[in-house]
Amino acid sequence: MPFPATAAPARAGAREWAALVVLMLPVLLISVDNTVLNFALPEISRELRPTGTQLLWMVDAYPLVLAGLLVPMGSLGDRVGRRRLLLVGSTGFAVVSALAAFAPTGGALVAARALLGLFGSMLMPATLSLLRNIFHDPTQRRTAIAVWATGFSAGGALGPVLGGFLLEHFRWGSVFLIAVPVLLPLLVLAPVLVPESRNPAPGPVDVPSAALIMTAMVALVHGLKDLGAHGPSPAVAAAVLLAAAAGALFVRRQLRRPVPMLDLRLFRHAPFTGGLLNNLVASTTFIGFLFFVSQYLQLVEGVPPMRAGLALLPGAAVTIVSGLLAVHVVGFVRPALVLGGGLLVMAAGFLLVLLGDLSGGTVLVVALMVIGLGSGAAQTIAGDLILSEVAPEQAGAASAISETAYELGAGLGVAVLGTAVTATYAHRVVPPPDLAPDQAATAAETLGGAVDVAGALDPATADQLFASAVAAFEAGVHLSAGIGAALLGATSVVVALLLRRVPRLRRR
C-alpha cells in the first residue's frame, strides 16, 4: 500500500514578507549599535577620559550581557510568547538608549551598555525564532534568513555612516538616540503583522543556569582583558578558573535536568555544531577587525567620522551581495565548501592587513571587502543549517544559541583581537621624556589618549609622540590580523570536516 504523499510546506504571502520587514528593524538596530559605538570611541575618549580597560568594556558590556542572556531569554520567549518578549525588549531598549546618550562618566556608559544588552537579549532570539515559524517553505525560509543576516551587514554599514553624520553635527550621545525612531514603528506594526508563537510545552525558567552561563562569559572575557593589560597574574588565573568552573557546572546542570534550558543534544548534529562554530569565529574576527579599523581611519589618518563610515560601505555591500548569492549557490555546492571556503576568504582579508602597508587606509578598506565576501556567504548558510536542524517548537532555543554565538563572538572579538592591539600599543609606545606624568600615562593608555595629549604639545614633541603612538598601534594591528588569520584558517578546516556529509541544500 503506498504511503500518503507529504503535503508541501505552505508558502509565505505578502503578509509574511511584510512581517519580515518589521522584524528587520530590531536586527538593524542591534547591528547599528554594535558598530556605531566604535566610531564614537575617539570622541568618548576625549570627553569622558575613560581608562583603556573602560574603553574595552564600553564595547564589550553590551554583547557579553546580551550573549549571556540570549539562551535564558529564548527559553522565556518560548514560555510567555516570542512576540510579547520582542515588544517588551524594544520598549526597554529605547528607554535605556536615551539614558545612555547622557551618561556622565565612563562607568555610567558601561552600565548603560550592560542594560542595553539585557533588553537586546529579548530582541534577537525572538526575531529569528519568529522567522522559523512564519516561513515554512525551505527556500523561502533560506531567503528570509539571508535577508535577516543582510540586516546585520546593512546595519554595520549604516551605523558608521549615520553615526559619522551625527558625530560631525552633534555630541557623541546622539548615536544612542537612533534607537528611538527605529523602534517606534516596530511597536506599532508588530502586533498587527507578526503572529504570536510559543512552545506548547515550554521548560521552566532556570535562573541558576542563567547565572552560571553569565558568570562563565564575563569571567573569561575579564581574564583575557586583564591578561592583555597587565600580563599573567593570579587574578588572570582566578578569572579563567572561575569561567571554567561555571561553564562545567552549567553543562552538568543541563545534562541532569529533565527539561534543560539548553538542550545539549542539539550539539550531536554536525550541521548545528558546524554552523555555530562558523558564526562564533566569523563574528569574533569581524568585530575585532572593526574595533581597530575605525580608530585607525579617524585617529591615524585623520578621516572625519562620516567619511570613515563611507569608506566601509563597499565592504558592507559585498557582504550583502555575498549572502544573497549564497542562497542559490548551496543548491549546487555543498555547505562544507561554502562555509569552509568563506572562512578561508575571510582569512585572506586578514593576511592582507598582516602583510600590507596600512598607511592611507586603502589596505584596510580592501581587506574589509574580502572579509565581507567570505562572511556574507558563510554566516547566511550557517544560520539556515542551525534552524533547519530543529523542530519549529524548538526554534526559540536554537535561535537563542545561534545568537549567543554571534554576540559571544562580538565580545570575544574585542577581548581577543582588541586586547592584542591595546596590549601591544601599551607595551611599545614611548612617550617623550619631557611629558608631565599624567600626560605620559594618558598617552600610554590608548591611541585616542595619545592624540588628545599631542594636541596640547609643541609641534616637535607632538610629532614625536604621534609617530611613536602610530607605530605602536600598527604593530598591534598586525599582531591582531595574524591571530585572526590563524583562527579563521584553523576553523575552516574543522567546519568543513563537520559538514563533510551534509548534501547540497534542497531547492524548490
Side-chain angles (χ1 to χ4, degrees), residues 146-326:
V147 174
W148 180 88
T150 295
F152 276 106
S153 302
L158 181 63
V161 176
L162 184 56
F165 173 81
L166 291 173
L167 290 169
E168 289 186 11
H169 295 86
F170 307 99
R171 66 185 294 271
W172 61 264
S174 61
V175 302
F176 290 101
L177 296 177
I178 299 170
V180 177
V182 171
L183 289 176
L184 284 178
L186 175 90
L187 293 172
V188 173
L189 296 175
V192 178
L193 294 173
V194 178
E196 181 62 281
S197 73
R198 55 172 56 89
N199 189 336
V205 177
D206 187 357
V207 176
S209 290
L212 285 171
I213 195 171
M214 177 67 74
T215 300
M217 290 181 181
V218 173
L220 175 61
V221 174
H222 176 74
L224 290 172
K225 291 181 187 299
D226 212 27
L227 177 64
H230 307 294
S233 68
V236 172
V240 173
L241 287 174
L242 176 61
L249 288 174
F250 175 79
V251 171
R252 182 183 180 187
R253 183 174 176 84
Q254 302 317 298
L255 292 174
R256 292 190 170 189
R257 288 179 65 82
V259 184
M261 184 178 75
L262 174 58
D263 188 355
L264 297 177
R265 292 173 298 179
L266 291 172
F267 290 91
R268 297 175 183 173
H269 302 286
F272 185 88
T273 304
L276 281 178
L277 181 60
N278 173 92
N279 287 349
L280 173 65
V281 175
S283 180
T284 295
T285 52
F286 184 77
I287 297 298
F289 181 90
L290 287 180
F291 176 79
F292 62 73
V293 71
S294 60
Q295 294 187 71
Y296 189 91
L297 291 175
Q298 292 184 74
L299 297 176
V300 177
E301 297 299 329
V303 178
M306 187 170 181
R307 281 184 53 201
L310 291 172
L312 303 188
L313 277 179
V318 170
T319 306
I320 293 170
V321 172
S322 175
L324 294 175
L325 289 178

Side-chain angles (χ1 to χ4, degrees), residues 322-480:
S322 175
L324 294 175
L325 289 178
V327 174
H328 305 283
V329 170
V330 289
F332 308 96
V333 179
R334 287 176 177 266
L337 292 177
V338 177
L339 270 66
L343 293 175
L344 282 179
V345 172
M346 290 183 70
F350 277 88
L351 287 176
L352 282 176
V353 177
L354 175 64
L355 303 175
D357 180 5
L358 302 184
S359 61
T362 302
V363 166
L364 293 175
V365 174
V366 173
L368 183 59
M369 295 174 66
V370 176
I371 291 169
L373 178 64
S375 175
Q379 296 203 61
T380 295
I381 302 308
D384 183 60
L385 287 173
I386 292 167
L387 284 187
S388 298
E389 285 296 307
V390 302
E393 61 269 16
Q394 291 181 296
S399 58
I401 298 169
S402 175
E403 285 308 307
T404 300
Y406 275 115
E407 297 301 334
L408 178 59
L412 289 176
V414 178
V416 177
L417 301 188
T419 297
V421 174
T422 56
T424 304
Y425 172 85
H427 179 71
R428 293 204 174 202
V429 68
V430 181
D434 54 344
L435 291 187
D438 61 329
Q439 289 179 316
T442 300
E445 187 79 37
T446 63
L447 176 62
V451 172
D452 191 34
V453 169
L457 302 176
D458 63 87
T461 307
D463 289 345
Q464 182 183 351
L465 173 59
F466 186 73
S468 176
V470 170
F473 192 79
E474 287 184 345
V477 170
H478 285 304
L479 174 62
S480 180

